[in-house]
Amino acid sequence: MPIRVAIAGVGNCASALVQGVEMYKHKPEVEPFVAFKKVGAYAVSDITFTAAFDIDARKVGRDLAEAIFSPPNNATKVFEPQKLGVIVRAGPLLDGRPEGGLVEKVVEGTVEDVVRELESTNTEVLVNYLPTGARRAAEAYAEASLRARVAFINAMPAPIATNEVWQKRFIEREVPLLGDDTQNQIGATVLHKMLIHLLNLRGVRIFDTYQINVGGTPDFANLMYRRTDKEKTKTAAVKKMADDQDFKAYIAPVAYIPFLNDRKIAHMLIEGAIFGGVPITIRVELDVHDAWNSAAIVTDAIRLAKLALDRHIGGPIYSASAWGFKNPPIHMPPEEAYKAVIEFINGERNN
Ligand SMILES: NC(=O)c1ccc[n+]([C@@H]2O[C@H](COP(=O)([O-])OP(=O)(O)OC[C@H]3O[C@@H](n4cnc5c(N)ncnc54)[C@H](O)[C@@H]3O)[C@@H](O)[C@H]2O)c1
């Protein structure tokens, strides 16, 4: 059964998602490395792209299969999909234009254009991949989702799934809402969270921690100017794992280094004390293809959103949000979120 999916923001994350889904569809012998091979009846290959929106003149008007390789995108190329018959349409710009000067010419559409496209393509799920800091544009797509009654996945840090007003509106319209800000398959956030969770569980006193990220994607170029929302979602994710401890946390993406391309390198430090007040220091370095690291989790989120639609469940999907996002309405350690998702899939919990 196909799941009809639209994308807002045809950047690097969209590129990895489209490449990956199309690869698994056209090469069924290749095993997808995801936590959930099936979500209910749905496999990764059931995801079908139906609409896409951007504001970069180099992407608007092109087939989605080509637009994902248009500059400034630089996600690693693993698979070249054939034309999908999905033309990228112009969406509302508002504060969407990424900082850093990588988008020169902009084409604008309206919220009404987005609603019309979602409705005419019978889209079921919209994934919001807008640049960090584009709060008003993110809200415009959330609004379009509500009007078209399309499930909304907020893959970026603007507070939508964590905002009470949006939560209420999605409950009233019976439209599923997932977010905020994708938590990568094995990214800096989930690794950092697990370490803090483990130290807390084992009775270690945590004094302070930092996480510094460098990368060469347009996302990093934008984050050099607008990283407040990202700092908030990343810091909340880590601090919630040891809520009862008062420790200092500096968690920020800090440098755009163009030659790193799609690589992201995260450096983490945790300082604390064990039994006897004796000091302990943990240093971690993670080197990963950033855009690809987000795609598996988004395939889970899309399939969980579809399950919610099938069951006529609207509003925040707490289990799926805790599993797939840095700043969900309810924070859970990964193993608890995993269990909640299994219960949701099995129909043992509502959302
Ligand atoms: N692993 C990851 O890369 C990762 C993980 C978690 C969250 N995120 C978040 O996901 C978002 C997308 O990341 P990315 O690497 O794909 O970024 P990107 O900069 O490559 O892509 C953003 C796209 O949005 C387009 N855009 C800007 N304003 C728009 C508007 N108003 N309407 C439609 N399109 C618009 C841009 O032209 C660009 O194509 C970012 O906010 C990022 O922080 C990324």
Side-chain angles (χ1 to χ4, degrees), residues 12 264 335:
N12 271 345
K264 162 180 163 171
E335 71 278 15

Side-chain angles (χ1 to χ4, degrees), residues 7-15 53-56 59 72-74 89-98 103 107 128-134 137-138 141 155-158 181-184 217-220 222-223 226 230 262 264 289-295 326:
I7 289 171
V10 185
N12 271 345
C13 287
S15 176
F53 307 94
D54 210 287
I55 47 81
D56 188 325
K59 295 172 182 171
N73 290 11
N74 60 358
R89 306 287 178 202
L93 173 67
L94 301 163
D95 51 2
R97 190 193 194 116
V103 176
V107 196
N128 175 32
Y129 278 134
L130 261 49
T132 295
Y141 285 96
M156 49 83 81
D181 199 9
T182 314
Q183 173 172 264
N184 286 346
T217 61
D219 185 30
F220 271 91
N222 177 65
L223 286 168
R226 307 196 274 190
K230 186 66 95 181
D262 187 28
K264 162 180 163 171
H289 290 255
D290 201 22
W292 281 90
N293 206 6
S294 68
K326 294 187 188 82

Side-chain angles (χ1 to χ4, degrees), residues 137-166:
E139 288 181 352
Y141 285 96
E143 183 65 43
S145 247
L146 267 179
R147 285 200 213 161
R149 300 192 82 152
V150 163
F152 190 68
I153 296 180
N154 187 31
M156 49 83 81
I160 308 276
T162 46
N163 176 293
E164 277 179 21
V165 177
W166 284 109

Side-chain angles (χ1 to χ4, degrees), residues 56-217:
D56 188 325
R58 292 166 292 187
K59 295 172 182 171
V60 174
R62 300 191 73 180
D63 189 280
L64 178 61
E66 295 168 347
I68 56 173
F69 298 119
S70 297
N73 290 11
N74 60 358
T76 309
K77 194 189 261 191
V78 171
F79 184 75
E80 199 163 334
Q82 293 184 341
K83 279 194 181 178
L84 294 163
V86 175
I87 302 299
V88 179
R89 306 287 178 202
L93 173 67
L94 301 163
D95 51 2
R97 190 193 194 116
E99 296 289 345
L102 296 180
V103 176
E104 284 162 18
K105 193 164 170 242
V106 155
V107 196
E108 268 190 77
T110 63
V111 173
E112 288 70 31
D113 294 335
V114 176
V115 174
R116 223 174 294 123
E117 182 78 357
L118 294 175
E119 286 176 345
S120 69
T121 53
N122 293 322
T123 293
E124 298 172 293
V125 180
L126 172 64
V127 183
N128 175 32
Y129 278 134
L130 261 49
T132 295
R135 277 194 183 205
R136 287 175 55 223
E139 288 181 352
Y141 285 96
E143 183 65 43
S145 247
L146 267 179
R147 285 200 213 161
R149 300 192 82 152
V150 163
F152 190 68
I153 296 180
N154 187 31
M156 49 83 81
I160 308 276
T162 46
N163 176 293
E164 277 179 21
V165 177
W166 284 109
Q167 289 177 356
K168 202 161 158 272
R169 293 189 65 202
F170 276 82
I171 291 168
E172 278 164 10
R173 288 278 287 168
E174 280 187 16
V175 177
L177 173 63
L178 284 73
D180 296 318
D181 199 9
T182 314
Q183 173 172 264
N184 286 346
Q185 187 169 12
I186 186 67
T189 302
V190 77
L191 203 56
H192 205 159
K193 266 171 76 165
M194 279 307 258
L195 285 171
I196 294 288
H197 176 53
L198 180 68
L199 295 182
N200 196 40
L201 198 68
R202 307 290 285 181
V204 177
R205 176 74 175 90
I206 303 160
F207 295 147
D208 49 53
T209 186
Y210 73 66
Q211 182 196 119
I212 290 172
N213 300 291
V214 299
T217 61

Side-chain angles (χ1 to χ4, degrees), residues 216-340:
T217 61
D219 185 30
F220 271 91
N222 177 65
L223 286 168
M224 293 293 285
Y225 300 87
R226 307 196 274 190
R227 61 171 203 250
T228 316
D229 284 349
K230 186 66 95 181
E231 282 182 7
K232 279 189 191 152
T233 58
K234 284 176 85 74
T235 305
V238 170
K239 288 211 86 165
K240 288 276 179 190
M241 293 302 107
D243 233 0
D244 49 338
Q245 293 208 38
D246 184 22
F247 62 98
K248 291 191 211 80
Y250 180 85
I251 297 174
V254 287
Y256 168 56
I257 303 176
F259 68 75
L260 287 178
N261 293 312
D262 187 28
R263 270 172 78 197
K264 162 180 163 171
I265 303 174
H267 305 270
M268 286 164 247
L269 176 96
I270 305 172
E271 294 178 317
I274 57 170
F275 193 62
V278 175
I280 176 169
T281 303
I282 298 176
R283 288 187 190 83
V284 179
E285 187 181 284
L286 171 77
D287 189 339
V288 74
H289 290 255
D290 201 22
W292 281 90
N293 206 6
S294 68
I297 292 294
V298 174
T299 68
D300 295 340
I302 290 169
R303 292 176 292 155
L304 289 162
K306 171 66 174 157
L307 217 52
L309 283 172
D310 292 347
R311 294 174 184 167
H312 305 287
I313 296 167
I317 308 300
Y318 296 106
S319 52
S321 297
W323 168 249
F325 300 86
K326 294 187 188 82
N327 197 23
I330 298 176
H331 286 262
M332 299 179 198
E335 71 278 15
E336 198 184 310
Y338 181 78
K339 200 168 149 262

